[in-house]
Amino acid sequence: MDSNDLQRLADHLETCGLRVTVDDSAMRLNVTNPLNSRLTEEILAKGDQYVTGFDYAVGEHGHEQACAERIARMLAVGTPATAAPTGPANRLPAEARR
């Protein structure tokens, strides 16, 4: 795993709406929910795994998007895949007729 993989994970996390700081020299990301700065997580690259600062495995090399979705759920952010639909099916019947 190299800094390009770490940057790929950072890009997926930013797509989920998270704030990310990359430390290439330490192979570490600091990830924060922009709506609540207390919701933050340190993500380290160890071997072929991504782990939290508490050594909890959250993903593996080659699966950065799935890893980003796990981290987003940990930090209370909906991901594009889990976002509620915004079309007529998500509206109340009275709103759909307008």
Side-chain angles (χ1 to χ4, degrees):
M1 192 174 327
D2 61 22
S3 61
N4 290 331
D5 300 312
L6 199 63
Q7 186 59 53
R8 194 173 8 267
L9 176 57
D11 292 343
H12 286 298
L13 290 165
E14 288 172 347
T15 299
C16 292
L18 294 163
R19 188 177 308 133
V20 182
T21 304
V22 180
D23 182 351
D24 287 326
S25 63
M27 294 296 286
R28 176 178 60 215
L29 300 175
N30 287 312
V31 186
T32 304
N33 180 326
L35 300 176
N36 184 345
S37 62
R38 291 182 181 190
L39 295 174
T40 188
E41 193 65 60
E42 178 183 49
I43 304 298
L44 305 161
K46 284 191 173 180
D48 66 343
Q49 295 279 322
Y50 294 105
V51 298
T52 68
F54 296 105
D55 215 30
Y56 175 76
V58 291
E60 60 186 27
H61 175 259
H63 300 279
E64 283 78 10
Q65 184 173 357
C67 180
E69 291 173 1
R70 281 186 204 98
I71 295 165
R73 284 192 301 272
M74 287 171 33
L75 297 177
V77 174
T79 65
T82 61
T86 57
N90 196 38
R91 294 186 190 147
L92 296 173
E95 293 174 330
R97 286 179 278 189
R98 291 184 191 163

